[in-house]
Amino acid sequence: MLWTLGTLLITIAALNPDQIDLSISRVNNTTYRTLEKLVSKDSYSLVKTKDLGEFSSPSKCTLLSCLIKKSSIFNEEYINLLEVKEAYTGYKTNDGSAETWRKIWEISGEDSLLPTLVSGLQFSIFTHLSSFHKKFFTVYFPNPALFHKKFQDKHRLNFYLTYLLLRNCVGGIDMDCPEMDKDLLDVVQTIRAQGSTNWVRQTLDLEKTIQRVDKMIDLLKNINCEKCQLWGTIQLKGLRAALKVFSGSSNLDNLERFFLANLFMRLSVSVRENIKLRRYKFPLLVSVSLYWMEILSFATSFLIILLVSRVRNKFKSKIALKSCM
């Protein structure tokens, strides 16, 4: 396991940053469209709420962007992932997410593999929050300044390692399953055609690692943001499925394939978006141009307050002058 990660790390480190992006992007493009088509299907976009686990308490986030729409189909509650984009919600870190991340990192510290994977997942999530930051009608705009402010190259490299590991785990799925979706089969075949995936079929004892991921999933109940819980659960369950393949079991059930495919899609999007965000030459100016309405409103409010304050002071001065006379 460590040898595998070491090999991937050496391969990545041998490339300069532009070459890394170019190489990963080229590989990503070979499966992106088919994967996008796959997760747009009902079988890979509709998820039963009971399959996500119970959210321990109602969402305390008062923002509409924190909430998710649920639908009832044949007396069962579903969530359509196509209607719930992984994007910035405005949910504050001091409302539970920071503490949850701290505990997740604490759990991952007990494992040799998870620190790299958790770093990669966190980078991917942050990429989504930065890239799909502000919604204007139906279009999302990025916040490159936020991305550049918190960007660290070591996390980008961990993200690429996570992406490659997960990609090869997808390629290691058993293709003989009669219930295998054609598009998923195409993705698996494409990955296998690009190189051997035998290294993910090693017999590895990842039982404790998988148990630690289960603990992480359980921690998400402490986040009072439904959308955050939803995407966090899907991605960690997808990671769990990938680890199952990595440990030598290539036969996944429908739900495991669902979570794995959706995690792979999120990482595939992050490959594209993190490159776009880093290409902004003047990220702060871009943010200003995107948020000019808020800036204008703030400036107007400030000027009004200043004007009212000056008028008030003049009025007080006149009253004081009259009282002296």
Side-chain angles (χ1 to χ4, degrees):
M1 176 175 61
L2 294 177
W3 177 86
T4 300
L5 284 177
T7 302
L8 289 173
L9 183 59
I10 291 171
T11 302
I12 289 179
L15 303 171
N16 64 46
D18 290 339
Q19 288 178 323
I20 295 173
D21 289 338
L22 185 62
S23 298
I24 299 293
S25 182
R26 188 184 296 116
V27 169
N28 186 51
N29 288 339
T30 61
T31 52
Y32 191 92
R33 292 303 176 193
T34 308
L35 184 60
E36 189 176 43
K37 180 182 175 184
L38 173 68
V39 299
S40 297
K41 295 180 177 179
D42 287 348
S43 55
Y44 278 86
S45 62
L46 290 176
V47 59
K48 296 178 184 178
T49 53
K50 69 178 183 180
D51 290 333
L52 295 168
E54 294 293 332
F55 292 164
S56 61
S57 60
S59 176
K60 295 179 183 178
C61 180
T62 57
L63 300 171
L64 292 176
S65 54
C66 287
L67 306 177
I68 52 179
K69 180 182 176 182
K70 305 179 185 73
S71 303
S72 181
I73 304 175
F74 298 115
N75 296 322
E76 289 198 275
E77 195 174 61
Y78 283 81
I79 297 171
N80 187 347
L81 298 183
L82 299 179
E83 298 177 355
V84 190
K85 194 176 188 68
E86 185 185 10
Y88 179 72
T89 63
Y91 181 68
K92 303 299 182 183
T93 56
N94 57 1
D95 290 334
S97 63
E99 179 63 14
T100 300
W101 272 116
R102 186 190 68 78
K103 290 180 179 179
I104 286 175
W105 274 107
E106 192 175 90
I107 293 171
S108 70
E110 302 169 1
D111 198 274
S112 60
L113 177 61
L114 285 177
T116 298
L117 300 180
V118 169
S119 173
L121 284 180
Q122 191 172 35
F123 181 89
S124 176
I125 292 169
F126 178 63
T127 298
H128 275 77
L129 301 188
S130 300
S131 190
F132 308 106
H133 193 82
K134 180 179 175 61
K135 188 176 182 180
F136 186 71
F137 291 102
T138 59
V139 180
Y140 281 91
F141 292 95
N143 187 339
L146 175 64
F147 182 81
H148 280 255
K149 180 181 178 181
K150 296 188 176 182
F151 174 82
Q152 292 186 41
D153 200 53
K154 64 179 181 180
H155 295 308
R156 178 182 69 108
L157 295 179
N158 284 337
F159 163 66
Y160 283 151
L161 283 171
T162 303
Y163 170 80
L164 291 174
L165 177 64
L166 195 100
R167 181 183 181 86
N168 281 278
C169 286
V170 172
I173 295 176
D174 183 9
M175 294 195 300
D176 296 328
C177 177
E179 299 177 348
M180 176 81 77
D181 185 279
K182 181 184 179 301
D183 288 320
L184 179 56
L185 185 62
D186 288 345
V187 170
V188 173
Q189 289 175 332
T190 299
I191 294 172
R192 290 190 179 188
Q194 292 170 346
S196 173
T197 57
N198 290 335
W199 59 270
V200 300
R201 295 191 176 191
Q202 306 172 60
T203 303
L204 299 170
D205 185 10
L206 294 178
E207 183 179 351
K208 289 184 178 179
T209 302
I210 292 174
Q211 288 174 356
R212 290 179 179 118
V213 173
D214 288 335
K215 289 181 181 179
M216 294 177 184
I217 294 171
D218 193 55
L219 285 173
L220 298 178
K221 296 177 182 178
N222 300 321
I223 300 178
N224 298 312
C225 167
E226 289 184 349
K227 185 183 286 187
C228 307
Q229 286 181 330
L230 171 67
W231 283 114
T233 300
I234 287 173
Q235 293 182 72
L236 284 176
K237 283 182 178 287
L239 178 60
R240 190 187 192 283
L243 290 172
K244 182 177 176 180
V245 177
F246 196 31
S247 66
S249 177
S250 59
N251 188 16
L252 302 180
D253 61 35
N254 289 337
L255 195 56
E256 288 172 324
R257 289 197 295 270
F258 175 93
F259 290 129
L260 182 57
N262 274 282
L263 171 57
F264 188 31
M265 185 73 250
R266 301 275 63 75
L267 297 184
S268 298
V269 171
S270 292
V271 168
R272 291 188 167 193
E273 295 301 324
N274 99 86
I275 295 172
K276 288 180 184 178
L277 287 166
R278 287 179 12 250
R279 283 178 177 169
Y280 284 101
K281 298 296 183 182
F282 305 101
L284 187 59
L285 291 179
V286 174
S287 296
V288 169
S289 66
L290 291 175
Y291 296 91
W292 65 272
M293 284 291 290
E294 286 83 350
I295 295 172
L296 181 61
S297 298
F298 175 80
T300 302
S301 300
F302 178 76
L303 289 174
I304 290 174
I305 292 172
L306 185 63
L307 181 61
V308 170
S309 178
R310 292 189 64 179
V311 171
R312 186 178 179 183
N313 289 337
K314 284 186 178 181
F315 183 71
K316 284 183 177 180
S317 298
K318 287 183 179 180
I319 293 176
L321 185 60
K322 286 182 179 180
S323 63
C324 291
M325 295 175 63

